[in-house]
Amino acid sequence: MAVVMLQGTGSDVGKSVLVAGLCRLFANRGRKVLPFKPQNMSNNAAVTEEGGEIGRAQALQALACRVPPSTDMNPVLIKPQSDTGAQIVVHGRVIGQWGAGDYQERKGVLLDAVMASYSRLRERADLVIVEGAGSPAEINLRRGDIANMGFARAAGVPVVLVGDIDRGGIIASIVGTKAVIDPDDAAMIKGFLINKFRGDPRLFDDGYAEIARRTGWPGLGVVPWIAAARQLPAEDAVVLDTTAAHDGGVTIAVPLLSRIANFDDFDPLIQEPAVRLVFVPPGQPIPAEAALIILPGTKATIADLAFLRAQGWDIDIAAHVRRGGHLLGICGGYQMLGAHISDADGIEGPAQRVAGLGHLPIETRLTGDKRLTATKGTSIADNACFSGYEIHVGRTTVSPGTAPLLRLTNGTTDGAVSANGRIAGCYIHGLFDDPAQRAAWLKRIGVASDGVAQSVRVDAALDALALALEAHVDIERLQAIAGIDA
């Protein structure tokens, strides 16, 4: 079994995308390849077939491999709920809420879970491509590390270091990594990759050679800025643009909540030519011209409801509703639209009951059991199909006489719709991926959809990414590092 690990000089250097591209590249070559990330920190999660959750990036990488996602692909998932605390998910299930200090002291005990998952993946694949987290140069976090060199050393996995030239300082970031990490850690690094280069790569020949000279590591290539990568789901909310993709004629606004989760729900809308999707940053009003406001999912519903009110967005939403605008809440955003949210058991923090925005006749009680399930169905009003998933804590009670939004294939219903049909909410993520469902929503605000399934876009982007890596990465050297026979 062959294996290679991509670590980065920092966060958001493109490790997730490169791993996805390499997974598709080797899958296209007929390899049985699987992705692995020992530890991930993200509120953008996906549901696996066995009913667990993993980081969205690993679900994308599984898709690139043309295999179903499994919890072994991301055994430890950290989902931040505040600036100092997070929900800890191991093998797809929540094991508790840890403070930042707790995690640093206890993360070493998770190595057994990481190694167990890695061992199971090795048995299923002839190539595993591993993704690190953050950077091995964060030497203050090295003790008990399971995400980067702690795992690489424990598992004996060779490393390729990735640097992002677009952010600047690429020579210092790669050479500096060699300078600060432990020599035994540095010995695990067998080469480097330059990512996100714009322009003529020959202009960087001298810099490329200098990195190799100063580190003793061979270069594996200079990867250009690949446009197809923008078609892929992002893992970290820091990459969200305030105005995305098209400057279409109709505006859809999404407030950027402080703990926004599963924001790839909006990727299909970003690609619609007739839509101007706006992610509204804190401190800015929701555009008055928005035809539709969507309240997204969140990892901390009550805290983000307070955050929403602090921005004055509750006032903007109320004015939008008075003007006859459309309003949709997804998951945590759906919970916010109701009369009250109760957290009697202290699931998200201190036990409390707070007033919701009051736009739907529903009430929510947060509960300790998390619902994790893939689901399919149709919208009741127009019979448009959807295929998505639920990932939430809390149970919502809908007042008698209120129409549900969706009918699931198991015969149950989900969501609620106001009497005038302009306000709605549901728990289903991935609602807009299906072209029929997306077209139905756009029709309500007077827009025609392009009719392209999101799965088709993503699959084409993965193939384009793989082709680009074939052209710009020394795949033969990478195979030799991974231990793949020529």
Side-chain angles (χ1 to χ4, degrees), residues 77 93 98 123 133 143 153 176 180 202 214 231 242 284-285 304 372 429 462 481:
L77 175 61
R93 297 294 178 184
W98 291 4
E123 294 174 357
R143 183 173 62 86
R153 293 271 296 276
V180 301
R202 292 174 298 181
R214 288 176 177 264
Q231 305 285 332
T242 53
Q284 297 294 319
D304 260 347
L372 297 161
H429 292 288
L462 287 168
I481 291 171

Side-chain angles (χ1 to χ4, degrees), residues 105-154:
E105 291 299 320
R106 298 162 66 181
K107 65 181 180 180
V109 304
L110 299 175
L111 183 59
D112 287 345
V114 167
M115 296 305 293
S117 286
Y118 175 61
S119 295
R120 287 191 288 267
L121 288 186
R122 290 185 60 181
E123 294 174 357
R124 295 171 48 198
D126 55 33
L127 171 62
V128 175
I129 304 180
V130 185
E131 179 189 343
S135 169
E138 295 162 345
I139 55 176
N140 56 306
L141 303 178
R142 178 61 178 87
R143 183 173 62 86
D145 171 61
I146 62 172
N148 292 304
M149 287 303 178
F151 168 77
R153 293 271 296 276

Side-chain angles (χ1 to χ4, degrees), residues 186-209:
M188 302 301 297
I189 300 177
K190 307 303 181 182
F192 66 89
L193 264 176
I194 306 298
N195 198 24
K196 303 183 187 178
F197 190 90
R198 300 177 189 259
D200 185 349
R202 292 174 298 181
L203 298 175
F204 190 62
D205 284 351
D206 290 345
Y208 190 80

Side-chain angles (χ1 to χ4, degrees), residues 226-257:
I226 302 172
R230 290 186 64 87
Q231 305 285 332
L232 302 175
E235 184 173 52
D236 196 329
V238 299
V239 305
L240 295 180
D241 297 322
T242 53
T243 302
H246 301 290
D247 189 15
V250 174
T251 297
I252 297 176
V254 180
L256 275 175
L257 302 175

Side-chain angles (χ1 to χ4, degrees), residues 213-340:
R213 185 185 73 81
R214 288 176 177 264
T215 62
W217 300 328
L220 273 68
V222 178
V223 180
W225 188 278
I226 302 172
R230 290 186 64 87
Q231 305 285 332
L232 302 175
E235 184 173 52
D236 196 329
V238 299
V239 305
L240 295 180
D241 297 322
T242 53
T243 302
H246 301 290
D247 189 15
V250 174
T251 297
I252 297 176
V254 180
L256 275 175
L257 302 175
S258 65
R259 300 297 171 192
I260 188 171
N262 299 83
F263 45 82
D264 56 314
D265 283 343
F266 309 108
D267 287 357
L269 297 175
I270 291 172
Q271 302 304 324
E272 285 285 355
V275 168
R276 173 177 173 260
L277 188 80
V278 178
F279 290 107
V280 185
Q284 297 294 319
I286 297 175
E289 69 273 17
L292 169 64
I293 296 174
I294 306 177
L295 297 186
T298 169
K299 189 62 193 71
T301 301
I302 291 177
D304 260 347
L305 179 57
F307 179 83
L308 181 151
R309 286 184 163 119
Q311 312 311 311
W313 289 336
D314 57 329
I315 298 171
D316 295 340
I317 291 168
H320 171 81
V321 169
R322 287 195 300 272
R323 291 192 296 267
H326 289 264
L327 176 62
L328 171 66
I330 298 175
C331 200
Y334 171 43
Q335 295 172 341
M336 292 181 188
L337 290 179
H340 293 95

